Amino acid sequence: MIHFAPIRRMRAFSRAFSTADSRRKQRPSQWRFFALICIGQMLITSPAIANSFERDGIFTQTGKKYVDFRPIPKWSNLLERFEAEERRDQDCRRHGAGRCPYDRWKRTIDTLRFKSKAAQVSGVNEFANQWRYVADAANWGQEDYWAIPGEFFRKAGDCEDYAFVKFMSLRALGFSNDELRLVVVEDLKHNSQHTVVLVELHGRVLQLDNQIDQVIPAESVHHYKPIYAANEQAWWLYR
């Protein structure tokens, strides 16, 4: 199943760590092995992995980091609604209730899971870009509505909806929050706001964009000015 919710992952890891700690004295060699695995996981997901974002910024801009999501309520609300929808999808599968919200999405994730990271990034971009673009005003009767994936799969959507599906697809495939940014930008070419996903891969930052069929290096784009970027753990404001 597709599991994204960071709180549940953290709690599961905490429970595993506590269990191992209680058995440490009885099985010291096993404890050392478990500790090495934990350290390795922490190193893999450490902030050092995001050196490209920290070193080069986003579209040459450097942002200020925050962990309080209240100033960007659309993002925090989207994460909460997504977690609830994820639970509904899991319940649907558990009870064999027919067509579930994430059927097609899950098949795509399963197909990409054992491919190279570069192939995963391209596959995720191609999968999400299949849906047609529909403006929020026409789709939802609102000027700016951030759809959860099930809504996007039913009714399509606009740029931030593509971006969220891509972000969460990469998370499901094992990309860490440190490797990812969902970025709201000012599109200087079209004088409008736009949303894309950036992913760090092999020391380069790649851009997934519903306006571009292929995944491209972010450094090749010069008409985007970042407003803010976010992942599940923090966000960055650009001025």
Side-chain angles (χ1 to χ4, degrees):
M1 286 186 292
I2 301 176
H3 292 290
F4 306 92
I7 294 175
R8 292 202 297 275
R9 285 194 293 270
M10 290 169 64
R11 286 175 179 168
F13 182 82
S14 178
R15 286 196 297 270
F17 192 92
S18 299
T19 302
D21 185 59
S22 67
R23 297 172 180 168
R24 175 167 51 94
K25 293 182 180 179
Q26 287 77 16
R27 290 178 284 183
S29 61
Q30 184 177 348
W31 163 251
R32 286 194 294 271
F33 177 72
F34 183 83
L36 287 172
I37 292 175
C38 292
I39 292 169
Q41 289 177 332
M42 287 186 287
L43 288 174
I44 290 171
T45 59
S46 70
I49 214 165
N51 277 342
S52 292
F53 290 123
E54 303 303 329
R55 182 185 66 242
D56 304 325
I58 289 180
F59 301 119
T60 73
Q61 302 290 314
T62 301
K64 184 174 181 180
K65 182 178 179 179
Y66 299 90
V67 294
D68 182 354
F69 286 110
R70 283 178 294 181
I72 52 170
K74 286 186 180 296
W75 175 246
S76 55
N77 177 262
L78 184 64
L79 292 175
E80 291 172 4
R81 290 164 52 222
F82 171 60
E83 187 171 347
E85 183 180 63
E86 187 187 10
R87 288 195 297 269
R88 291 195 297 273
D89 180 78
Q90 292 169 12
D91 288 343
C92 176
R93 295 180 190 286
R94 197 159 37 241
H95 297 107
R99 188 176 179 181
C100 300
Y102 294 169
D103 281 346
R104 185 176 176 187
W105 194 11
K106 182 182 181 299
R107 288 195 300 270
T108 299
I109 296 298
D110 289 343
T111 299
L112 293 172
R113 192 171 301 283
F114 299 105
K115 295 188 176 183
S116 69
K117 283 188 172 292
Q120 289 176 346
V121 171
S122 295
V124 162
N125 194 60
E126 182 180 350
F127 168 74
N129 282 359
Q130 293 178 69
W131 273 261
R132 64 193 178 96
Y133 181 96
V134 182
D136 287 335
N139 220 1
W140 304 101
Q142 299 180 30
E143 197 61 35
D144 187 26
Y145 178 81
W146 289 46
I148 49 179
E151 294 172 331
F152 175 72
F153 298 145
R154 288 196 308 273
K155 299 184 64 173
D158 64 0
C159 57
E160 70 272 2
D161 307 323
Y162 291 94
F164 189 69
V165 167
K166 294 174 186 181
F167 181 98
M168 284 302 176
S169 295
L170 293 174
R171 290 287 289 122
L173 287 166
F175 286 79
S176 71
N177 273 293
D178 289 325
E179 293 173 290
L180 295 169
R181 300 286 189 273
L182 182 142
V183 190
V184 177
V185 302
E186 181 182 355
D187 184 339
L188 302 176
K189 188 180 292 184
H190 298 99
N191 193 29
S192 62
Q193 282 194 13
H194 185 50
T195 306
V196 300
V197 169
L198 301 183
V199 55
E200 185 183 55
L201 184 63
H202 306 316
R204 297 191 73 187
V205 176
L206 303 178
Q207 178 176 313
L208 290 74
D209 192 329
N210 68 285
Q211 297 183 149
I212 304 171
D213 290 335
Q214 293 80 27
V215 175
I216 61 171
E219 64 193 28
S220 67
V221 178
H222 305 291
H223 62 285
Y224 287 166
K225 180 180 178 182
I227 299 171
Y228 70 87
N231 58 32
E232 294 172 281
Q233 297 173 337
W235 70 284
W236 292 259
L237 178 64
Y238 298 83
R239 295 186 183 278

